[in-house]
Amino acid sequence: MKLFNRILPLFLPASLALCFFSCTRPAAEQTMNRFIDSLMSEMTLEEKIGQMNLPVTGSIVTGQAQSSDIAQQIREGRVGGLFNLKGVESIREVQRIAVEESRLGIPLLFGMDVIHGYETVFPIPLAVASSWDTLAAQTMARVSAQEASADGISWTFSPMADVSCDARWGRMSEGFGEDPLLCSKMVAAMVRGYQTDNLADSTSILSCVKHFALYGAVEGGLEYNNAEMSRYRMYNDYFPPYRAAVEAGAASVMAAFNTVEGIPATCNKWLLTDILRNEWNFQGFVVSDYTAVQELREHGVAADKHEAALLALQAGLDMDMVSEAFFLLQDDKNMLPYIDKACRRILEAKYRLGLFDDPYRYCSRNREENIYTAQSRGEARRIARETFVLLKNDNSLLPLKKNSTIALIGPLADTRANMSGTWAVAATPSRYKTLREGLQDAVEGKGTVLYAKGCNLTSDPVLEANATMFGREMRDPRSDEQMLKEALSVARKADVIVAAMGESSEYSGECACRTDLSMPDVQHDLLVELKKTGKPVVLLNFSGRPVVLNWEAENLPAILQVWFGGSETADAVADVLFGDYCPSGKLPAAFPRTVGQMPMTYRRFNTSRPLADGKDTFSKYQSSYIDSPKSPLFPFGFGLSYTTFHYSSPVLQNSPTCPTVSISVTNTGTRDADEVVQLYIRDKVSMPARPVQELRGWQRLHLAAGETKTVEFLLDVQTLGFYDQEGKAVKPEGEFEIMVGPDSKNVKTLTLSL
Ligand code: BGC
């Protein structure tokens, strides 16, 4: 008889199941521990290592899983989980092999990169950060978990908690921007959305916070490169989001590809054991990134795969994604305690998910209808429109009237494959509307949408192929001249030109780093010609990162940054373009003037020779560039609205228990809208020094036209404090600038003395 059947009576019914890591129920913990003790006492060493093995899924086709390359390994108990296998039928079949044909019947985990939605695709994470709406992030994760779990998935490799200030790095798209606090709040909300407070609920899945650590700081913005910085910087600027995810209960952590202090994160004991487990008390399991264990050879820290496995295991890695290296440690008795610990952590995760109770809990066929529902799509559309950032709107060109004639032009105007954005593994783009269809539906019976592609993505077919790798559409075979001619003739017939331009989905994302952040060549040329028609041009800028928009900001009257809005992009853009929804997004990372400013953050230090107040250009022997202003083109936190807001003078209450600052904000326009009120601080004298500005809070308000609301921020120890070089919290004292405003640049400042 299978162990699985024998141990059933030991299990709690789902209704009594544990929250993840709930130590508040010692009895339940003890039951779990007894169960795992008993199971592990029956496991061979090879079976234990099997749990730590996450091999590449291979060729598993529904109905033929039995004969797949991986099936035999599963039968032998050499597999702990699989990833990126999609669909209840395939997953059920593979799970059955594990449960019924392996000696101990231990169920598998099924992972996937569910990053910003499943079949209902939400905006890319960087876009969701632009909403500054943590509930939106939580909802996105909740709907993603509901859909993924209905399709067999029990574990997602999300959220990505890597802070990044370097737009050259393609994976900025997958994170929440340049600010540690914004990233922390978003990441924690995602963990809550995926896992809820009850992992045994069959719509909850394990989250995996990644990539620990510092992956967003790779040098030169170059993928997989080293990331080196002081521990002071790590503790204050880069660690907080990972820690926030751990504190929110993240069940697993993925080690980063890069080195930290010369030691690859995959085998960095300081990171994986000292910080993660000993300082942050992380209770879950740590998985490597894809083939990262064997790549320790390429890093130059291991002579061979055996040594790589040894280093990773000793450092605190529990599960090996793809390298299958831990089996090489089978004869090393010294490794037994490490293997026992790692295996236990993975079994605990399976237990907490309730997989021993019912290994098919994610495989019920009747739940598939919960995927891509009208309700989830409604949430995705609602969230998408919150993420668009209005960067410019001269003479209130936007919103457009529905009864106008619109020339929709550009390589992003009529493409289905490029609405979702990068990392949309389960997307089904054939079902998603193109922007052209969305705008046409919105003006139906009132106005007209004319269309011309105008140009390809870039003049370089190789670059275009690389930037459309997963979702390639036909490059237009016509010449640039022919396409331009058509676009101009369409433009001349219209009242207004809407240019849908920028990046394709895979122009950003993993291994999509750029050395030039400006509008690709032929697209820029097209914009120049469209402007010459004299018709007003609205730029809808698609991108998975901050980009350089100098010419556009100087020459075009309106720019709406739409990132990649997911499956409902088309309708959401129409909602904002025609004013059914008032834009409220704020940049989660500054837009630079030139790629040469990268990496850039508003949280910079003052230097010994700062530019004088209000000065932004070159000044000899002061911290400045000779050929560019120092400031970004659009600052962190920036975003306009169709209405206007008035900020009153902030008021400080310096109570000895906890000072506060409050400010009243009035919607002085004629439309109801949301506004994100931001709190920044500057600790004026401290050792070590602090940055000139740090976001320490925000509130998103809904204000009806004419309405005033007052916002209050606590200025407590947590809000004002920081970490020293050893990661110890420093008590705030002395003078602080307290800044409140609609973005990092336009703030009203008061002084607080503690
Ligand atoms: C990425 C991870 C991802 C993994 C599995 C890697 O290349 O860095 O973020 O989770 O692949 O797909």
Side-chain angles (χ1 to χ4, degrees):
M1 187 199 279
K2 296 283 147 200
L3 177 66
F4 166 64
N5 296 329
R6 262 195 289 135
I7 49 85
L8 264 182
L10 278 178
F11 280 88
L12 298 171
S15 57
L16 285 181
L18 295 168
C19 308
F20 211 81
F21 309 134
S22 158
C23 301
T24 50
R25 298 199 187 159
E29 287 282 299
Q30 276 170 14
T31 311
M32 176 180 78
N33 292 341
R34 273 202 303 276
F35 166 70
I36 293 176
D37 288 346
S38 143
L39 177 55
M40 286 184 65
S41 71
E42 299 204 23
M43 292 172 83
T44 63
L45 187 54
E46 191 183 19
E47 284 164 339
K48 287 178 183 171
I49 298 178
Q51 289 304 305
M52 299 154 64
N53 191 31
L54 184 67
V56 75
T57 298
S59 53
I60 295 181
V61 180
T62 308
Q64 293 170 7
Q66 285 288 347
S67 59
S68 76
D69 39 10
I70 207 79
Q72 191 50 29
Q73 284 212 67
I74 297 174
R75 282 189 200 101
E76 288 167 11
R78 288 168 61 92
V79 178
L82 292 175
F83 65 105
N84 291 353
L85 182 62
K86 186 173 184 298
V88 164
E89 289 306 321
S90 310
I91 291 178
R92 176 175 272 275
E93 211 180 323
V94 177
Q95 189 71 297
R96 198 197 54 74
I97 297 174
V99 169
E100 292 184 17
E101 297 181 25
S102 74
R103 193 177 74 91
L104 294 172
I106 301 173
L108 301 172
L109 286 176
F110 290 91
M112 188 184 269
D113 290 279
V114 181
I115 307 293
H116 53 108
Y118 193 68
E119 289 188 21
T120 303
V121 183
F122 288 77
I124 56 169
L126 188 63
V128 174
S130 309
S131 73
W132 296 53
D133 181 354
T134 49
L135 204 55
Q138 186 166 335
T139 304
M140 159 163 104
R142 187 82 289 272
V143 174
S144 308
Q146 279 160 348
E147 291 198 358
S149 63
D151 211 25
I153 305 299
S154 46
W155 180 26
T156 175
F157 304 132
S158 169
M160 188 181 104
D162 305 315
V163 168
S164 183
C165 310
D166 196 333
R168 292 172 297 182
W169 189 51
R171 292 191 90 164
M172 239 187 133
S173 51
E174 215 187 317
F176 296 92
E178 72 170 79
D179 184 80
L181 182 69
L182 184 56
C183 288
S184 298
K185 299 260 185 208
M186 289 291 171
V187 160
M190 296 278 289
V191 171
R192 286 194 294 272
Y194 288 131
Q195 298 190 175
T196 70
D197 57 3
N198 179 14
L199 260 192
D201 182 310
S202 61
T203 69
S204 299
I205 59 178
L206 304 178
S207 69
C208 179
V209 56
K210 66 190 188 185
H211 308 79
F212 190 58
L214 316 186
Y215 187 32
V218 283
E219 287 165 5
L222 179 65
E223 193 60 285
Y224 315 128
N225 208 1
N226 302 338
E228 300 299 342
M229 65 179 71
S230 67
R231 290 194 178 187
Y232 176 52
R233 202 121 194 252
M234 294 182 204
Y235 283 119
N236 285 289
D237 300 352
Y238 285 82
F239 281 175
Y242 308 113
R243 186 175 186 166
V246 166
E247 285 173 0
S252 61
V253 168
M254 188 184 292
F257 281 124
N258 52 278
T259 61
V260 171
E261 301 182 328
I263 303 173
T266 309
C267 65
N268 193 315
K269 180 176 168 297
W270 179 67
L271 285 179
L272 302 188
T273 299
D274 300 351
I275 298 288
L276 194 59
R277 297 217 178 263
N278 299 345
E279 279 193 30
W280 299 351
N281 195 26
F282 173 62
Q283 302 286 316
F285 68 97
V286 182
V287 63
S288 77
D289 205 337
Y290 203 102
T291 52
V293 175
Q294 68 193 39
E295 287 167 18
L296 293 178
R297 294 173 309 191
E298 279 69 26
H299 268 296
V301 296
D304 52 26
K305 197 159 154 179
H306 176 268
E307 193 182 0
L310 191 88
L311 290 173
L313 186 65
Q314 283 177 319
L317 194 85
D318 301 308
M319 194 182 234
D320 169 5
M321 188 191 286
V322 181
S323 302
E324 308 210 38
F326 286 150
F327 291 111
L328 299 170
L329 303 177
Q330 270 185 95
D331 298 329
D332 188 341
K333 294 278 169 294
N334 295 330
M335 289 301 104
L336 264 175
Y338 293 99
I339 291 169
D340 276 344
K341 262 195 233 163
C343 172
R344 176 176 290 274
R345 289 172 184 143
I346 293 157
L347 293 174
E348 282 176 0
K350 293 181 177 183
Y351 182 101
R352 288 177 163 128
L353 273 179
L355 284 177
F356 288 107
D357 197 5
D358 175 7
Y360 303 107
R361 60 183 315 142
Y362 296 99
C363 298
S364 40
R365 292 186 182 91
N366 60 7
R367 281 186 56 208
E368 286 167 303
E369 67 205 29
N370 297 342
I371 299 174
Y372 195 62
T373 60
Q375 200 189 345
S376 335
R377 293 178 57 201
E379 294 285 14
R381 176 174 177 170
R382 182 183 63 72
I383 290 172
R385 60 193 194 183
E386 276 189 17
T387 68
F388 305 149
V389 186
L390 185 63
L391 295 176
K392 189 176 174 191
N393 193 21
D394 280 358
N395 304 321
S396 300
L397 174 58
L398 293 177
L400 301 179
K401 293 192 181 61
K402 285 188 180 162
N403 62 4
S404 23
T405 300
I406 295 164
L408 178 64
I409 295 174
L412 276 305
D414 197 28
T415 157
R416 237 174 270 292
N418 286 301
M419 295 297 100
S420 315
T422 185
W423 272 126
V425 179
T428 51
S430 57
R431 294 195 287 193
Y432 311 151
K433 282 187 196 174
T434 68
L435 193 56
R436 183 184 181 186
E437 290 163 344
L439 301 200
Q440 265 162 353
D441 288 350
V443 303
E444 180 83 65
K446 299 182 190 107
T448 311
V449 177
L450 308 171
Y451 163 75
K453 184 166 179 181
C455 65
N456 280 309
L457 200 60
T458 105
S459 64
D460 177 353
V462 177
L463 174 55
E464 177 149 344
N466 290 338
T468 53
M469 208 168 253
F470 310 122
R472 191 161 297 161
E473 283 164 344
M474 275 288 290
R475 209 174 135 78
D476 202 303
R478 289 175 296 168
S479 70
D480 292 348
E481 292 70 34
Q482 283 172 312
M483 292 171 83
L484 178 64
K485 201 167 156 211
E486 180 194 51
L488 293 179
S489 108
V490 164
R492 286 194 195 99
K493 294 184 198 127
D495 306 317
V496 59
I497 298 167
V498 174
M501 300 207 182
E503 295 188 330
S504 52
S505 289
E506 300 305 323
Y507 221 125
S508 45
E510 184 170 349
C511 205
C513 301
R514 292 180 66 181
T515 58
D516 175 0
L517 295 174
S518 46
M519 187 67 80
D521 50 10
V522 278
Q523 296 195 58
H524 169 76
D525 297 346
L526 175 60
L527 277 177
V528 171
E529 294 305 319
L530 291 176
K531 182 190 165 166
K532 286 186 195 156
T533 62
K535 307 278 178 173
V537 180
V538 177
L539 171 62
L540 298 178
N541 191 60
F542 286 78
S543 70
R545 50 155 60 90
V547 287
V548 170
L549 293 172
N550 297 333
W551 183 91
E552 294 78 1
E554 211 175 309
N555 290 282
L556 306 178
I559 305 176
L560 185 68
Q561 171 65 25
V562 294
W563 312 105
F564 290 97
S567 52
E568 313 310 310
T569 298
D571 290 331
V573 169
D575 290 341
V576 172
L577 213 50
F578 297 112
D580 294 328
Y581 181 80
C582 198
S584 57
K586 304 270 189 170
L587 294 179
F591 274 40
R593 295 175 191 275
T594 156
V595 72
Q597 290 174 303
M598 294 288 109
M600 134 181 272
T601 172
Y602 80 95
R603 301 173 87 254
R604 61 187 170 75
F605 286 78
N606 204 31
T607 79
S608 60
R609 294 183 171 189
L611 278 171
D613 259 358
K615 194 160 166 43
D616 194 25
T617 49
F618 178 67
S619 179
K620 193 72 178 168
Y621 304 123
Q622 287 182 315
S623 178
S624 57
Y625 292 110
I626 202 166
D627 60 353
S628 164
K630 188 172 178 178
S631 67
L633 182 64
F634 296 112
F636 174 78
F638 177 78
L640 302 170
S641 170
Y642 293 158
T643 187
T644 43
F645 298 101
H646 174 259
Y647 281 64
S648 70
S649 298
V651 178
L652 205 58
Q653 297 283 342
N654 195 355
S655 104
T657 42
C658 180
T660 59
V661 63
S662 54
I663 193 161
S664 298
V665 183
T666 306
N667 180 345
T668 45
T670 53
R671 288 169 179 273
D672 301 353
D674 288 3
E675 169 68 337
V676 179
V677 184
Q678 301 163 35
L679 167 75
Y680 296 88
I681 66 157
R682 177 178 183 183
D683 185 341
K684 292 193 75 179
V685 180
S686 82
M687 182 68 90
R690 296 304 302 150
V692 292
Q693 215 180 0
E694 298 176 75
L695 178 76
R696 286 304 169 97
W698 74 87
Q699 284 189 36
R700 198 186 151 99
L701 301 177
H702 181 76
L703 290 168
E707 191 182 7
T708 300
K709 278 186 183 158
T710 302
V711 174
E712 185 184 71
F713 295 101
L714 294 184
L715 301 173
D716 54 11
V717 172
Q718 218 186 347
T719 307
L720 301 176
F722 65 96
Y723 295 105
D724 69 10
Q725 298 95 324
E726 271 134 39
K728 306 254 166 352
V730 178
K731 193 169 165 251
E733 46 186 35
E735 254 188 24
F736 288 78
E737 281 178 10
I738 305 296
M739 297 162 258
V740 189
D743 61 63
S744 60
K745 197 168 164 214
N746 294 299
V747 289
K748 298 195 173 185
T749 307
L750 294 169
T751 302
L752 169 71
S753 296
L754 290 183

